[in-house]
Amino acid sequence: MKKLYFSLSLVVLLLLFGAWLVSFFQWTSPTIQNSINTTASSETVNNATGSIQSDQGRPLSVVFNPPAPEDAPAKIREEVMLGYKIMTETKKYAGEYVGDNLSCTNCHFDGGRARETLSLVGVAAKYPAYRGRRAYTADLGLRTQGCFERSMNGKAPALDSQIIQSLMVYYHWISKGIPIYENVPWLGIDHDLKLKRKPDVIAGKKVFQDVCARCHGNNGHGTEIAPPLWGEHSFNDGAGMNRVRTFSVFTWRFMPKSSPGLSKDQALDVAGYVHAQPRPHFVATHPNKIKRIIPLEEEGVR
Ligand code: HEC
Ligand code: HEC
């Protein structure tokens, strides 16, 4: 009898410990995720607590924890779901505006909900933003029009179209909880592998054949498994991915899909090789630049 009591209380203790363990990990998991791979930012991550310090030294509440599309409140759920579908099956839901064999999700994994790659979680808190390179201020609608023209080698849907508007609702939903204009460490892609040399195209060809061809096809035109890297069905020469810098960082960090492992040198070389292959030429389909009527420099506006 004594033995029975003893083993019973042991079982109860074990159960209690198990429950505590589970709740402990649930509670800490966003913190753990948050401390992974924040190398791209200028912020420092305190690994002990996972909290991020801004440049001003105050703690930020930037936590990577995007809500699922289907958890959106009833009043926006259908728009959010449509936005997610446009991201993941772009040709099916926005075919008129797509000129290649890509979906947004091929570069923004899981429709931008993944922390890797080119995450869009928190993007609604980053825009509208001044884009120095083009010298205009863009909101997410203008930014997204550019993606259709360049990355999708298609046409820009109108700002008041359902496609752009559903994407806006979707961006907002997956950005829930991110403070406006706060630094979001996982956004963007750090633009340089910091190799002080030009790519070696011949070495890059070998990397392509040895590593990439099995998924992206011997001719780089894509297969059932993976989208095209060049050729008439790929992104055009105005796309962000057409920059050797961006392509090499993307490839180094995220390719081969699910098991990245190239050296920086291999990534740079293969980027150079792909860059030398033919692809469609960018043609603007909407005013690419907002006309500046009032110069920002005047009257102390700046
Ligand atoms: C071929 C790869 C590729 C495809 C396909 C693609 N994008 Fe992008 N996208 C990029 C890159 C690269 C950037 C970053 C550009 C930069 O900062 O230089 C970007 C940036 C963005 C941004 C701004 C993100 C930020 O942090 O500022 C948005 C929004 C976006 N893309 C939406 C889309 C949508 C919507 C689609 C589909 C209609 C799409 N993209 C298709 C590669 C792609
Ligand atoms: C195991 C298969 C696999 C291998 C090997 C692989 N990729 Fe990919 N790659 C993919 C898949 C799948 C996607 C689309 C991801 C998605 O939609 O979630 C992709 C997307 C891409 C993209 C963005 C979309 C596009 O087509 O422009 C680039 C760029 C890319 N890969 C480059 C490379 C390079 C360079 C190599 C070789 C170093 C490589 N990949 C090796 C499977 C692979």
Side-chain angles (χ1 to χ4, degrees):
M1 202 58 183
K2 240 184 183 170
K3 249 190 188 161
L4 187 68
Y5 277 130
F6 179 73
S7 22
L8 267 179
S9 43
L10 203 69
V11 165
V12 168
L13 269 176
L14 271 173
L15 280 175
L16 278 174
F17 179 70
W20 174 80
L21 213 64
V22 165
S23 67
F24 176 80
F25 276 111
Q26 264 175 1
W27 183 73
T28 48
S29 61
T31 320
I32 289 170
Q33 275 177 340
N34 201 31
S35 59
I36 299 171
N37 219 344
T38 43
T39 44
S41 80
S42 60
E43 296 137 342
T44 48
V45 175
N46 178 336
N47 278 325
T49 65
S51 70
I52 297 172
Q53 303 251 265
S54 75
D55 297 340
Q56 294 85 34
R58 81 205 133 78
L60 303 178
S61 48
V62 185
V63 174
F64 185 87
N65 194 17
E70 55 275 17
D71 289 343
K75 59 182 179 218
I76 57 164
R77 191 178 305 127
E78 283 177 12
E79 288 285 38
V80 171
M81 294 300 289
L82 178 59
Y84 182 66
K85 284 179 172 153
I86 294 170
M87 294 287 311
T88 51
E89 299 170 71
T90 316
K91 226 175 185 153
K92 179 163 171 201
Y93 289 93
E96 206 187 314
Y97 303 97
V98 176
D100 59 22
N101 280 353
L102 295 176
S103 273
C104 315
T105 197
N106 293 152
C107 299
H108 304 279
F109 291 179
D110 190 15
R113 290 188 69 252
R115 186 175 177 131
E116 321 286 348
T117 72
L118 292 168
S119 184
L120 298 178
V121 173
V123 82
K126 175 174 169 184
Y127 289 86
Y130 181 72
R131 303 190 75 202
R133 189 158 57 95
R134 304 233 169 87
Y136 70 84
T137 303
D139 62 13
L140 274 172
L142 287 170
R143 189 72 181 81
T144 302
Q145 284 187 316
C147 296
F148 275 99
E149 285 186 309
R150 295 158 186 270
S151 295
M152 309 307 292
N153 189 38
K155 281 186 308 205
L159 288 179
D160 60 2
S161 66
Q162 193 187 2
I163 290 171
I164 297 287
Q165 291 305 315
S166 303
L167 284 169
M168 302 284 263
V169 181
Y170 172 73
Y171 297 145
H172 273 254
W173 174 243
I174 63 169
S175 302
K176 190 173 193 295
I178 309 279
I180 287 177
Y181 293 132
E182 204 49 275
N183 277 331
V184 181
W186 54 82
L187 282 186
I189 184 160
D190 43 344
H191 272 305
D192 203 344
L193 292 178
K194 308 232 159 33
L195 296 176
K196 299 260 173 295
R197 65 174 181 87
K198 292 227 149 37
D200 176 342
V201 174
I202 310 281
K205 180 175 186 179
K206 185 158 172 17
V207 176
F208 175 78
Q209 286 167 341
D210 292 350
V211 185
C212 324
R214 79 184 153 98
C215 292
H216 289 280
N218 287 327
N219 56 7
H221 290 197
T223 63
E224 294 276 286
I225 318 172
L229 296 182
W230 70 80
E232 56 178 333
H233 301 301
S234 183
F235 53 83
N236 67 39
D237 60 7
M241 198 59 96
N242 189 47
R243 288 192 294 257
V244 169
R245 288 199 310 280
T246 306
F247 191 105
S248 59
V249 175
F250 181 93
T251 299
W252 177 64
R253 290 184 61 191
F254 311 122
M255 284 295 135
K257 174 128 207 236
S258 313
S259 57
L262 292 190
S263 68
K264 286 187 177 182
D265 285 289
Q266 287 174 311
L268 180 68
D269 293 339
V270 77
Y273 172 67
V274 173
H275 191 74
Q277 308 306 313
R279 66 177 61 261
H281 184 55
F282 166 64
V283 182
T285 65
H286 80 295
N288 195 29
K289 200 166 176 169
I290 302 300
K291 198 168 164 200
R292 280 235 173 275
I293 303 171
I294 311 165
L296 288 183
E297 294 82 6
E298 254 170 41
E299 301 297 333
V301 178
R302 235 182 194 167

